[in-house]
Structure formats: structure tokens, C-alpha cells
Amino acid sequence: MSQELIETVNSEESANGEESGMLLELSNVTVQFGAVVALEQANLGLKRGELAAVMGPNGAGKSTVLKAIMGLVPVTAGQVFWRGAPLQAATHEIVKLGISFVPQGRRVFTHLSVLENLELGCIYLNDRAEQARRLESVLELFPLLHEKRRDMASQMSGGQQQMLALGRGLMAAPEVLLLDEPTLGLAPIIVKEVFEKVHEINEKLKTTIFVVEHNIKGVLDIASRAYVLDQGRVVHDGTPKSVEETNILTDVFLGRFSHGEREEWE
Ligand SMILES: Nc1ncnc2c1ncn2[C@@H]1O[C@H](COP(=O)(O)OP(=O)(O)OP(=O)(O)O)[C@@H](O)[C@H]1O
């Protein structure tokens, strides 16, 4: 490639996103379902290596953020950018770009074994050796899955199935992992284990993570960045510490916002 062409490509790539350090970015994204505005001109982004939490009350639009990235909901305005370029791939192709989605509800295949579930995480790969390498590294990261590798997923507890769902997400060797409520419905001791594992994935594998969570304390303990949503709007973007200092979550959960603006209460 000529120097001139390299510079053109680089400047195009940096038109949005990577120039500002954003690996994945939602820029002014609006998602509407008929009269319901699930996301309104939302700006959220993930820098390489970050673990960003997305928090907010029920119906705030948190899951819609992840679904907009995955092309699972119609983006009516705005754009999702991946490495600075518009993300336009079909949902089933997105995993090949390096984005892996672990949806809410531990959707493992209960009639398949642990190993079979994991293998499905990179079923699109033709390279058998690479599949085997990935399986080995996931089993190393999850000793529990290694121990239970021949068991049927139906024999596992909820927490174990969540670990399996995480492991399957990692079989795609993603640059970015999107996690929707990974601790939902789990016992407190298991919740702690799941958060520790998510943190470990971010630290050890350097996987960039977007995590939607209801468990505020747990997720703020491991996050490096925090978004707060309310009625489809991003009302806070900062460090976990800034979330605590501004008391934003109390205001949002008490309904002290109107159209994205904080209302003064006496
Ligand atoms: N497929 C859909 N059709 C119609 N409305 C939808 C659809 N998906 C989401 N919504 C609505 O969009 C809004 C945001 O939903 P979303 O699931 O993103 O919220 P959330 O913050 O993840 O909520 P929760 O914490 O309850 O999971 C809600 O009002 C929801 O009812």
C-alpha cells in the first residue's frame, strides 16, 4: 500500500471512534418501538481494555444498548461504530468481527454437554487446531467447566450455567464481550464469583467488556467506566467513583429526572 493510501485509510478510520480511543461507540443512537423510545440520542463508548458498566432502572434502555450493537433492534437514528467505521454487519457476522454477546438468562443448550456448548461458541471456525486451542484456554480459565466438561448442561446449577455462557462467549476469542445481566437471579455467593470471573477476563485476557447490571455495588467494584441511563437517555458517563460522588443513581432511581435533566427537590 502506498504511503498516501495508508494515510487516507488512517484518516478515514479516525473519522470517528478510534481517533478518540473508542473501540466501540454508539453515536447519537435512537431506538424506537412504535411510540416507545427505548434509547434517545444515546452516546456511549468503550475504549480498548475498559470494563464499562451500564446501569439504570427497569426499562431505562440498558439491554437495548447491547442489542443495538448486535443489530437485534432497529436503530432509527444515529450510528454504531466499530474501530471507527460504521458497524453494518448482519447479527450472525458480528461475532467474526470480534464482538461476542452473552444475552440475559443463561441461554445454554441444556440438552448438550458442556464441551458441545463451548464448541458452539466458535462453530463458524474451520480451523480445528484453533478451536482446540481456544477450548483449552477457556477450560484453563474455568476449572469448573473442565471438571464438568462431559456433563450435560441441564445438570448444572444456575451459577454454573452462567459460567458456561461466559465461557461460550469467550470461545469466539472476542476483543469485546457484551454481557447482559450476568448475575441476574443468582445467589449472593455465586454473584461474587461471576463478578470475579468477569474482572479476571478483563484483567488477564485484556478483553474489553460492556456489562449491563442491576447489582450496582458489585459492578462498580470491578468497572473502570460507568454509564447511567434513565428513560432512554444517558444521564451520566464517568468513573465508578464519580457515580458515587454525584449520587446520580439515587436521583435516577427516585425519579428525580425529567427528560434527562435533574430536577431540584426540596
Ligand atoms: N422488542 C420490543 N418491543 C417493544 N418495546 C420494547 C422492546 N424491547 C424493549 N422495549 C421497551 O424499550 C424500553 C427499554 O427496554 P430495555 O429492555 O432496553 O430496558 P432495560 O433498561 O434493559 O430494562 P430491564 O432492567 O427491565 O431489563 C422499555 O420500555 C421496554 O419496554
Side-chain angles (χ1 to χ4, degrees):
M1 204 187 280
S2 72
Q3 187 58 34
E4 198 184 345
L5 191 51
I6 291 171
E7 278 167 15
T8 311
V9 169
N10 285 346
S11 73
E12 279 174 5
E13 273 182 356
S14 62
N16 209 310
E18 286 265 55
E19 150 225 87
S20 57
M22 292 295 181
L23 182 59
L24 182 62
E25 191 173 16
L26 277 79
S27 175
N28 284 314
V29 167
T30 296
V31 174
Q32 249 173 296
F33 301 100
V36 177
V37 184
L39 271 187
E40 190 171 357
Q41 297 185 332
N43 291 303
L44 298 98
L46 264 182
K47 289 186 181 162
R48 206 176 281 279
E50 275 185 328
L51 198 171
V54 183
M55 298 167 294
N58 287 336
K62 304 180 298 294
S63 296
T64 303
V65 168
L66 304 188
K67 289 179 186 166
I69 296 166
M70 294 305 295
L72 291 167
V73 291
V75 171
T76 36
Q79 179 73 57
V80 178
F81 290 91
W82 170 240
R83 294 189 183 135
L87 176 56
Q88 284 159 338
T91 300
H92 67 281
E93 299 285 339
I94 288 179
V95 67
K96 297 183 200 165
L97 299 178
I99 303 173
S100 188
F101 179 42
V102 180
Q104 213 177 93
R106 309 186 271 283
R107 298 210 199 124
V108 297
F109 297 97
T110 47
H111 59 291
L112 298 180
S113 72
V114 168
L115 277 181
E116 287 165 338
N117 266 280
L118 290 174
E119 281 160 4
L120 284 175
C122 63
I123 195 165
Y124 57 87
L125 270 187
N126 290 323
D127 185 340
R128 287 252 162 221
E130 177 60 18
Q131 280 182 358
R133 268 194 298 278
R134 290 188 187 180
L135 189 59
E136 197 184 321
S137 69
V138 168
L139 291 177
E140 198 182 309
L141 187 70
F142 294 88
L144 169 99
L145 298 182
H146 185 265
E147 188 191 314
K148 297 196 170 277
R149 64 194 181 282
R150 312 227 174 266
D151 290 2
M152 299 300 278
S154 57
Q155 294 170 266
M156 303 176 98
S157 67
Q160 293 170 343
Q161 287 184 351
Q162 185 57 62
M163 292 296 188
L164 178 55
L166 278 177
R168 193 178 60 200
L170 287 178
M171 286 293 289
E175 262 183 270
V176 172
L177 195 56
L178 307 177
L179 304 176
D180 197 353
E181 301 274 9
T183 70
L184 194 69
L186 299 178
I189 185 149
I190 315 293
V191 166
K192 189 166 171 282
E193 279 177 31
V194 171
F195 279 131
E196 280 168 2
K197 196 51 82 177
V198 172
H199 194 214
E200 188 183 349
I201 292 166
N202 177 246
E203 293 263 303
K204 265 201 196 159
L205 307 184
K206 308 287 174 212
T207 309
T208 306
I209 300 179
F210 230 156
V211 56
V212 165
E213 255 298 331
H214 264 112
N215 186 321
I216 307 289
K217 162 101 183 68
V219 79
L220 286 180
D221 277 352
I222 61 166
S224 51
R225 185 181 189 127
Y227 288 98
V228 179
L229 264 66
D230 185 44
Q231 298 171 55
R233 298 187 184 210
V234 177
V235 294
H236 191 85
D237 167 9
T239 59
K241 197 160 173 247
S242 73
V243 171
E244 281 157 18
E245 283 168 356
T246 56
N247 243 346
I248 184 87
L249 284 168
T250 313
D251 286 351
V252 162
F253 280 94
L254 289 180
R256 287 186 190 161
F257 269 81
S258 174
H259 300 291
E261 300 293 326
R262 210 174 201 148
E263 290 180 336
E264 290 306 323
W265 279 18
E266 286 307 314

